[in-house]
Amino acid sequence: DLTGPQILRMVSHAHSLKQVSLPWLAPQSRNQKNTRLRMPSQSLFNKSITLIFSKRSTRTRVSAETATVLLGGRALFLGHDDIQLGVNESPRDTARVLGGMCQGIFARVGDHAEIEELAKYSPVPVLNALSSLWHPTQILADVLTLHEHAHLFEPTQIPSPGPNKSLPSLRPLTVAYVGDSANVLHDMLVTYPRLGHKLRVASPPQPAYQCPKAVWDRVTELGCNKDIWWGSDPREAVNGADVVVTDTWISMGQEAEKEQRLKDFAGYQVTEALCREGGANPNWKFLHCLPRKKDEVDDEVFYGPRSLVFPEADNRKWTIMAAFDLLFGKWDLTGEHSAD
Ligand code: CP
Ligand code: NVA
């Protein structure tokens, strides 16, 4: 739902919050012994945030809990066996009740319609922590990671002034995605083109692995489709790619389809050979939201020097912290924001 400038503002804010919380990372602090300790914004002081998780999570959950602590608030983790939602109570009633007691709702749901209903009836902001169709906070972390590693994509750096001068600017990139048309890809489709990057996608040709209509409608509504190439040949997709991305072939809830999916995705594993044969930029880098299985990417790439997957995982925390600070703490996405 954010505009392109709002996405960059959120990512810049995450970068500032990270530097305030980990001051030894800031370039100006590296050589100073007595780094002044600063506190990040305490916008959640005396506030409670509910984390509704009807599916498993490591990164998103821990990011949300630890980020809330840094912002001075309290997070309540509500797993699928903890509350009445889904068994005795509707999303509508749950949203109204939780919104009467807490200042924000971060929800990981099954069907995307569930979070739409929570958002419709909640008196406080609702953020998507992953649904069947979208995973917006993942893409905020991916964008921050690419900006932080902008120096790896030189020499054709074209500076573009950002809202926060400390966030390194990024030249227009070609990002390739090889794999399933799932939630992580869907947020890439509506994000990268609006930030000036091109996207190339390869998914198996069967209808089950094509973009859902609701997602493609949003992609075209935002005008992102003109910067997206989509085919079924993974080699063609990685042609000219600066960044190669994949996700699991078996998303949460699709376990029963495992055997069929492993057959249908044969040949889509991200490897050095695939990217060499496809003509990726020889300096290509690799992203994956995690959790990872060996089916979709081999160890050589995943643990190799091209891989940015662990900085990307770390950045889940700072980007979720920025979203909580601006949307749950300050209720404000406009103007400049101080990290403290
Ligand atoms: N990337 C991601 O959302 O990881 P978790 O499922 O562990 O939260
Ligand atoms: N597509 C994956 C993403 C996990 C973070 C899933 O939905 O399981």
Side-chain angles (χ1 to χ4, degrees), residues 291-324:
R292 166 255 182 174
K293 297 188 189 69
K294 292 190 181 192
D295 306 319
E296 69 267 11
V297 54
D298 68 3
D299 276 354
E300 184 185 11
V301 171
F302 187 79
Y303 292 113
R306 301 182 182 284
S307 179
L308 301 178
V309 299
F310 292 111
E312 178 188 10
D314 293 342
N315 281 336
R316 297 300 310 287
K317 173 168 176 168
W318 309 111
T319 42
I320 286 174
M321 186 173 173
F324 281 19

Side-chain angles (χ1 to χ4, degrees), residues 53 56-61 108 129-130 135 138 252 289-291 316:
F53 276 65
R56 288 174 188 280
S57 170
T58 299
R59 282 143 288 271
T60 314
R61 174 190 177 167
R108 173 166 285 198
L130 180 146
H135 195 6
Q138 179 66 49
M252 290 180 276
C289 60
L290 313 184
R316 297 300 310 287

Side-chain angles (χ1 to χ4, degrees), residues 7-16 18-19 27 140 143-150 157 160-170 195 315 319:
I7 292 169
L8 277 184
R9 202 172 295 140
M10 184 80 84
V11 169
S12 292
H13 189 53
H15 185 66
S16 306
K18 182 175 182 178
Q19 297 202 339
L140 295 176
V143 172
L144 175 59
T145 307
L146 293 178
H147 276 266
E148 285 180 342
H149 292 86
Q157 181 87 17
S160 55
N164 181 331
K165 300 277 186 301
S166 75
L167 183 71
S169 59
L170 190 60
L195 300 184
N315 281 336
T319 42

Side-chain angles (χ1 to χ4, degrees), residues 216-292:
W216 195 252
D217 284 350
R218 183 73 180 137
V219 169
T220 50
E221 184 186 7
L222 291 168
C224 294
N225 49 317
K226 60 185 186 324
D227 288 316
I228 299 170
W229 176 93
W230 195 312
S232 58
D233 181 348
R235 280 169 186 74
E236 218 177 327
V238 301
N239 189 261
D242 301 298
V243 184
V244 178
V245 189
T246 188
D247 183 9
T248 182
W249 297 341
I250 303 138
S251 283
M252 290 180 276
Q254 297 173 333
E255 292 75 8
E257 302 167 28
K258 180 174 177 180
E259 205 179 326
Q260 185 62 47
R261 284 177 165 265
L262 290 180
K263 277 187 204 151
D264 294 342
F265 281 90
Y268 284 75
Q269 188 190 47
V270 175
T271 62
E272 286 287 343
L274 180 129
C275 294
R276 193 173 51 248
E277 289 161 18
N281 174 345
N283 195 28
W284 63 276
K285 300 292 172 242
F286 178 72
L287 290 178
H288 189 307
C289 60
L290 313 184
R292 166 255 182 174

Side-chain angles (χ1 to χ4, degrees), residues 40-337:
S41 155
Q42 294 297 287
S43 64
L44 294 185
F45 179 69
N46 268 351
K47 292 183 180 161
S48 301
I49 304 303
T50 45
L51 312 179
I52 300 177
F53 276 65
S54 65
K55 288 181 170 178
R56 288 174 188 280
S57 170
T58 299
R59 282 143 288 271
T60 314
R61 174 190 177 167
V62 176
S63 295
E65 293 205 27
T66 55
T68 304
V69 168
L70 287 177
L71 292 168
R74 167 87 200 264
L76 292 89
F77 181 79
L78 307 176
H80 65 91
D81 288 332
D82 295 328
I83 53 173
Q84 307 284 8
L85 176 66
V87 181
N88 293 320
E89 201 156 31
S90 65
R92 175 179 180 162
D93 296 355
T94 304
R96 169 61 187 84
V97 171
L98 295 180
M101 300 179 186
C102 298
Q103 284 68 45
I105 297 175
F106 191 43
R108 173 166 285 198
V109 300
D111 195 292
H112 184 71
E114 289 170 40
I115 196 156
E116 292 286 0
E117 199 179 343
L118 284 173
K120 184 171 175 189
Y121 293 105
S122 168
V124 298
V126 173
L127 291 184
N128 184 347
L130 180 146
S131 69
S132 56
L133 291 185
W134 305 102
H135 195 6
T137 60
Q138 179 66 49
I139 271 35
L140 295 176
D142 292 11
V143 172
L144 175 59
T145 307
L146 293 178
H147 276 266
E148 285 180 342
H149 292 86
H151 56 283
L152 301 179
F153 301 108
E154 286 173 332
T156 43
Q157 181 87 17
I158 300 170
S160 55
N164 181 331
K165 300 277 186 301
S166 75
L167 183 71
S169 59
L170 190 60
R171 73 165 166 87
L173 298 175
T174 298
V175 180
Y177 178 94
V178 176
D180 192 16
S181 184
N183 39 25
V184 171
L185 170 65
H186 299 162
D187 267 289
M188 292 171 61
L189 297 172
V190 294
T191 301
Y192 285 125
R194 289 193 289 156
L195 300 184
H197 308 296
K198 299 230 178 293
L199 202 50
R200 299 179 65 79
V201 181
S203 64
Q206 292 87 338
Y209 310 122
Q210 303 309 304
C211 192
K213 184 177 179 313
V215 172
W216 195 252
D217 284 350
R218 183 73 180 137
V219 169
T220 50
E221 184 186 7
L222 291 168
C224 294
N225 49 317
K226 60 185 186 324
D227 288 316
I228 299 170
W229 176 93
W230 195 312
S232 58
D233 181 348
R235 280 169 186 74
E236 218 177 327
V238 301
N239 189 261
D242 301 298
V243 184
V244 178
V245 189
T246 188
D247 183 9
T248 182
W249 297 341
I250 303 138
S251 283
M252 290 180 276
Q254 297 173 333
E255 292 75 8
E257 302 167 28
K258 180 174 177 180
E259 205 179 326
Q260 185 62 47
R261 284 177 165 265
L262 290 180
K263 277 187 204 151
D264 294 342
F265 281 90
Y268 284 75
Q269 188 190 47
V270 175
T271 62
E272 286 287 343
L274 180 129
C275 294
R276 193 173 51 248
E277 289 161 18
N281 174 345
N283 195 28
W284 63 276
K285 300 292 172 242
F286 178 72
L287 290 178
H288 189 307
C289 60
L290 313 184
R292 166 255 182 174
K293 297 188 189 69
K294 292 190 181 192
D295 306 319
E296 69 267 11
V297 54
D298 68 3
D299 276 354
E300 184 185 11
V301 171
F302 187 79
Y303 292 113
R306 301 182 182 284
S307 179
L308 301 178
V309 299
F310 292 111
E312 178 188 10
D314 293 342
N315 281 336
R316 297 300 310 287
K317 173 168 176 168
W318 309 111
T319 42
I320 286 174
M321 186 173 173
F324 281 19
D325 185 31
L326 300 185
L327 299 173
F328 294 159
K330 297 175 174 144
W331 285 42
D332 180 16
L333 258 180
T334 58
E336 298 285 331
H337 297 280

